[in-house]
Amino acid sequence: MRLKGRAAVVTGAGQGIGAAIARLFAEEGARLILADMRSGPAKDLEADIRSGGGEALFVKTDVTSDGDCRRMVDAAVASYGGLDVLVNNAGIAGKGTVTEIAEESWDRVMAVNLKSIFLASRHAVPHMERGGGGSIVCIASVAGVTGEKGQVAYNTSKHGVIGLVRCMAFDHAAANIRVNAVCPGATETPLLSPLTEERRTRLEGMHLMGRLGRPEEIARAVLHLASDESSFTTGAAYFVDGGYTAI
């Protein structure tokens, strides 16, 4: 029960890595706010966690909206008396070079993948300060340290996530708020569902372990950084990538 009694917000909690994080956090005793734009999957997850004896509340949230991010954090404080952990997980893909991608698509990727972390964190930090500290974990990617053909918006946004994490770690260490990034390799989530079999095989071969990651493997890394196990870790980019960045 590494998070027993702690209030945690998970964005993009309805599926994939976000859902795996929420389930693991619930098993470890966290009291959860499940933030997602889509009601169906997140409401089902809320029901599953409650039926297992956990505490969870779904809050419909557009993470690109400052007002929604404020309400998301306020829901944690109102329901659980404070906020101890924020997991900025929400993210989308976006393809194209600088000459191909539409300006609207660029802006949308930046808003969901990067601006959302700024918005959620700016509302979470004051409550963590009042509570004596906390942990913010942001889902970046191996794309945050590499280039990739036709992925200018996505990779740029993930580079930004790592930079933002390091700056927040500097700014809030004195308040006992730790800020870290988890950088997954390619992971079995709906984001990869459009892959052809050929592309999938090639992607698997880009990892030393010869396979894609599983959401629960990423969730365990997030749990480590959210809990007291990582009490001397801040400003880190933690790679859970099957050896992708070692190649």
Side-chain angles (χ1 to χ4, degrees), residues 37-208:
M37 279 198 69
R38 299 184 307 163
S39 301
K43 287 289 289 182
D44 291 343
L45 179 58
E46 175 192 56
D48 286 348
I49 290 172
R50 287 183 174 182
S51 67
E55 294 184 69
L57 175 66
F58 165 65
V59 177
K60 186 175 176 62
T61 308
D62 176 358
V63 292
T64 70
S65 162
D66 184 69
D68 275 18
C69 286
R70 180 190 295 274
R71 285 188 288 275
M72 171 186 78
V73 170
D74 286 348
V77 176
S79 300
Y80 306 130
L83 179 61
D84 304 294
V85 178
L86 168 64
V87 180
N88 290 303
N89 166 74
I92 58 172
K95 293 184 179 180
T97 67
V98 292
T99 58
E100 294 168 346
I101 190 169
E103 182 180 358
E104 295 78 11
S105 297
W106 170 275
D107 289 344
R108 180 64 179 165
V109 171
M110 293 300 161
V112 175
N113 293 4
L114 184 56
K115 183 182 178 182
S116 66
I117 296 176
F118 157 69
L119 293 176
S121 299
R122 74 189 302 210
H123 293 301
V125 163
H127 293 290
M128 290 181 175
E129 288 177 337
R130 284 192 284 273
S135 176
I136 298 174
V137 185
C138 304
I139 304 302
S141 170
V142 293
V145 294
T146 65
E148 188 177 355
K149 185 177 177 64
Q151 295 290 340
V152 64
Y154 182 78
N155 284 44
T156 299
S157 72
K158 294 302 185 178
H159 275 70
V161 171
I162 294 174
L164 179 55
V165 160
R166 288 172 173 161
C167 289
M168 288 197 295
F170 265 99
D171 291 337
H172 306 296
N176 195 33
I177 298 172
R178 298 182 298 103
V179 189
N180 294 287
V182 170
C183 302
T187 305
E188 297 274 13
T189 70
L191 201 66
L192 296 186
S193 57
L195 287 180
T196 64
E197 193 61 34
E198 179 184 3
R199 169 64 176 153
R200 180 187 176 89
T201 300
R202 188 167 76 86
L203 191 58
E204 289 173 343
M206 295 169 71
H207 299 71
L208 287 180

